[in-house]
Amino acid sequence: MNPNKKSVFRLINTSDQNWSDWHWQFKNRITKPGILANLLHEPAEKREELQRAATVYPLAITPYYFSLINHTNENDPIKKQCFPDLLEILQTCTPEDPLEEDSHMPVPKLVHRYPDRCLAIVTEICATYCRHCNRKRFWSSSPQISMKTRLTNMIRYISASPQIREVIISGGDPLTLEDHVLEELLVSLRSIPHVEVLRIGSRAPVVMPMRITKDLCRILKRARPLWFNTQFNHPHEITPDSARACNMLLEAGIPVSNQSVLLGGINDSTEVMKNLLYGLQNISVRPYYLFHCDPAKGCEHFRTDVKTGMGMMENIWRQCSGLSLPQYVLDVPGSTGKIPLNVMSRAIKKDLQKHQHFFDKFK
Ligand SMILES: *Cc1c(COP(=O)(O)O)cnc(C)c1O
Ligand code: SF4
């Protein structure tokens, strides 16, 4: 057991059995800035900062994710992803909804931006709230309609839209829902003939890996073809527990892919990104996207510029296994799709000049 786990463990005085139970992890999330400050022995002024930021954007950290923090490092990458920061509320000029998702919702919380795919926001709740989340505007919104009505309306719209062949179940984190709710949703979607593919977007393997249980895998297995996308952002998140969670999904025949967000001071260096991508390849998780951080309100301090991202990705493209390369993309409002920030087209200009005689042969 690592020492951090022990300290949270002692504080909450729990057993290993509790620790590996996702309901326990969820129930014991750190949600009060005061408790977080106590755990860290923070000085009064830091305490007040945590409080102010968490009043605008709620705080939640599972004991498991908290246990990954190295407290001797002030800039710990796990800490930065989950601790409220005053910088979140000092930003005034960025939009809440930069991708204009809210204007692409034919029924509440169903985003239909691309003709053949839609994205169902099935809950606003997450096991751990990521401070860089581009949907943080939803966190404190209390649902106006019941879960049942919300899901029924979505299913009705999808049934009546034959162009939709893929449904992305997202949130919030859909794996904060109970098994029977998820199962009912998956079975309903599967009964729609034109829905060929399902996708789940969840950070559970990273922030609450005990959520991936045998029962859940059985439910997901029956809903195949189902693709699972998660979000590892830093190599420290690749642990025996998260690897085990991914492996259970893989053994159930569910491909696991990863969508990282490029985060300043967390993973915007070639070294860290390379370790992350190789770490993912080692646990058979396919890097899919690296998102340029959206200009969403409350996330501005995580943003790097595209040039830094392109430079880093060019290094990685030149150094790393092709299987470990994600597509670096920029999401934009509207229906164009995510725009690939094509490192190759930039790099290839140099290569083209170097290998001109070679290319000339194939004209
Ligand atoms: C990202 C996204 C998708 C999925 O896009 P892919 O490029 O297929 O991964 C679908 N719908 C919405 C609204 C999205 O934001
Ligand atoms: S798990 Fe996803 S939806 Fe939830 S806070 Fe993190 S990025 Fe946002």
Side-chain angles (χ1 to χ4, degrees):
M1 201 189 288
N2 78 40
N4 284 321
K5 179 171 167 187
K6 259 197 205 138
S7 72
V8 189
F9 185 91
R10 225 186 3 251
L11 190 102
I12 312 173
N13 193 22
T14 194
S15 62
D16 267 345
Q17 194 185 353
N18 275 344
W19 187 266
S20 47
D21 170 3
W22 78 269
H23 285 109
W24 182 90
Q25 288 282 340
F26 189 79
K27 220 167 45 215
N28 288 285
R29 295 179 307 159
I30 300 159
T31 54
K32 299 216 163 48
I35 292 184
L36 185 61
N38 285 347
L39 279 167
L40 301 166
H41 313 289
E42 292 282 22
E45 78 189 54
K46 203 76 198 154
R47 205 170 256 277
E48 144 130 28
E49 284 182 16
L50 280 173
Q51 185 79 52
R52 278 180 64 198
T55 308
V56 181
Y57 297 114
L59 151 76
I61 310 171
T62 55
Y64 164 81
Y65 198 61
F66 185 85
S67 78
L68 304 183
I69 297 170
N70 170 5
H71 294 286
T72 59
N73 177 6
E74 209 182 312
N75 294 315
D76 182 82
I78 308 289
K79 184 172 168 179
K80 278 192 158 176
Q81 287 184 68
C82 63
F83 275 41
D85 190 315
L86 211 49
L87 291 173
E88 294 171 44
I89 57 172
L90 299 179
Q91 300 158 17
T92 49
C93 53
T94 36
E96 297 240 294
D97 177 22
L99 303 175
E100 296 168 12
E101 290 187 323
D102 295 353
S103 61
H104 285 89
M105 290 185 188
V107 295
K109 302 297 160 83
L110 186 89
V111 190
H112 193 186
R113 276 171 63 200
Y114 313 131
D116 72 332
R117 285 154 288 170
C118 68
L119 184 143
I121 297 171
V122 298
T123 175
E124 279 71 35
I125 297 165
C126 300
T128 292
Y129 287 119
C130 315
R131 307 322 294 182
H132 56 270
C133 177
N134 66 355
R135 295 205 186 104
K136 66 203 293 186
R137 67 185 183 281
F138 289 147
W139 293 351
S140 44
S141 68
S142 56
Q144 264 107 54
I145 48 172
S146 77
M147 176 68 79
K148 195 154 182 64
T149 314
R150 173 169 169 173
L151 298 183
T152 307
N153 288 344
M154 288 179 178
I155 287 164
R156 195 172 301 145
Y157 175 83
I158 296 166
S159 301
S161 312
Q163 74 276 32
I164 297 179
R165 70 171 281 280
E166 178 174 347
V167 178
I168 300 159
I169 301 162
S170 180
D173 197 322
L175 292 195
T176 57
L177 299 178
E178 292 296 333
D179 281 357
H180 71 273
V181 181
L182 268 173
E183 184 169 24
E184 205 174 311
L185 174 65
L186 291 170
V187 168
S188 308
L189 289 170
R190 265 283 151 253
S191 71
I192 305 171
H194 58 264
V195 174
E196 295 172 19
V197 173
L198 299 176
R199 193 193 306 186
I200 287 186
S202 165
R203 238 197 145 186
V206 182
V207 298
M208 191 171 63
M210 33 311 263
R211 177 63 185 96
I212 313 300
T213 59
K214 281 194 187 134
D215 284 343
L216 177 71
C217 288
R218 262 195 294 275
I219 293 168
L220 300 184
K221 187 173 182 157
R222 279 199 291 270
R224 287 182 306 166
L226 182 144
W227 295 67
F228 195 103
N229 278 7
T230 190
Q231 188 198 136
F232 287 89
N233 289 326
H234 193 278
H236 291 178
E237 293 167 338
I238 303 175
T239 65
D241 290 315
S242 60
R244 193 193 110 273
C246 294
N247 195 49
M248 286 175 72
L249 293 166
L250 292 165
E251 285 193 339
I254 297 155
V256 184
S257 307
N258 190 65
Q259 308 190 150
S260 297
V261 185
L262 180 62
L263 300 167
I266 294 178
N267 61 13
D268 61 341
S269 77
T270 303
E271 225 21 60
V272 171
M273 188 51 72
K274 199 167 141 178
N275 286 335
L276 171 64
L277 299 175
Y278 275 178
L280 291 169
Q281 205 192 356
N282 291 345
I283 61 166
S284 306
V285 171
R286 176 77 156 104
Y288 172 51
Y289 278 149
L290 170 66
F291 282 111
H292 191 73
C293 188
D294 291 326
K297 193 168 183 175
C299 305
E300 196 77 353
H301 56 301
F302 286 110
R303 279 162 59 80
T304 50
D305 54 282
V306 168
K307 233 171 110 185
T308 309
M310 298 267 281
M312 181 189 81
M313 284 310 291
E314 184 177 336
N315 294 339
I316 285 173
W317 172 64
R318 291 192 187 280
Q319 294 171 26
C320 297
S321 157
L323 282 177
S324 70
L325 293 182
Q327 174 109 261
Y328 177 35
V329 291
L330 180 73
D331 208 351
V332 289
S335 319
T336 31
K338 279 121 182 127
I339 297 176
L341 294 171
N342 208 326
V343 175
M344 272 169 277
S345 64
R346 197 177 81 139
I348 221 156
K349 272 193 211 139
K350 287 186 235 161
D351 287 0
L352 261 175
Q353 284 165 357
K354 205 161 84 194
H355 298 292
Q356 196 58 53
H357 63 285
F358 177 80
F359 286 105
D360 284 346
K361 283 194 217 160
F362 296 96
K363 268 193 182 147

